[in-house]
Amino acid sequence: MPPVLNYAGQVAVDGEAFEGNGLFKFALVSANGNSTYWSNDGTSVDGSEPQSSISVTVNGGLYSVLLGNTAIQGMGAIDPQVFIQHKDAKLRVWFSDGVNGFQQLSSDRPFASVPYAF
């Protein structure tokens, strides 16, 4: 079974915690953000925004998603080799409230040791 990573974050629109179904895109990128190791739909190149998004329920600005869970529409599997070959992998996230279009969220997120246990 391919690895699945639980990722939780929070989003706000115009300073207010977002509520409802948010659209998200995810990519695992290099420390400098210039290389893509994985993205939710496999289309991200050189740290670019993936083409397809995933719908995630957001409550009070908080959301949680299982990265690599192929049961989620638009989510591709994560090859465990990504974390073996790329110790610098960081998560890049894009969000859309369905009105304002996609925006890349703050900074790329480093991983704790968890994915490297694969």
Side-chain angles (χ1 to χ4, degrees):
M1 185 175 121
V4 173
L5 299 174
N6 185 35
Y7 176 74
Q10 67 188 107
V11 287
V13 177
D14 296 327
E16 297 289 317
F18 180 76
E19 191 75 34
N21 284 330
L23 299 174
F24 291 85
K25 298 177 180 183
F26 301 95
L28 294 174
V29 299
S30 58
N32 65 10
N34 293 337
S35 297
T36 301
Y37 305 139
W38 171 88
S39 64
N40 60 276
D41 67 355
T43 63
S44 173
V45 178
D46 301 329
S48 69
E49 182 179 325
Q51 293 174 14
S52 303
S53 62
I54 293 160
S55 180
V56 179
T57 302
V58 182
N59 292 307
L62 303 175
Y63 67 93
S64 178
V65 63
L66 294 174
L67 299 173
N69 181 355
T70 56
I72 300 170
Q73 186 167 347
M75 181 74 74
I78 299 173
D79 185 336
Q81 289 295 312
V82 165
F83 296 106
I84 294 166
Q85 296 170 355
H86 307 288
K87 303 283 187 217
D88 66 338
K90 291 185 173 187
L91 181 65
R92 182 169 285 178
V93 181
W94 292 262
F95 167 73
S96 171
D97 60 2
V99 177
N100 296 303
F102 280 92
Q103 295 194 7
Q104 186 175 326
L105 300 183
S106 58
S107 55
D108 298 338
R109 307 273 181 213
F111 283 100
S113 57
V114 176
Y116 301 101
F118 294 132

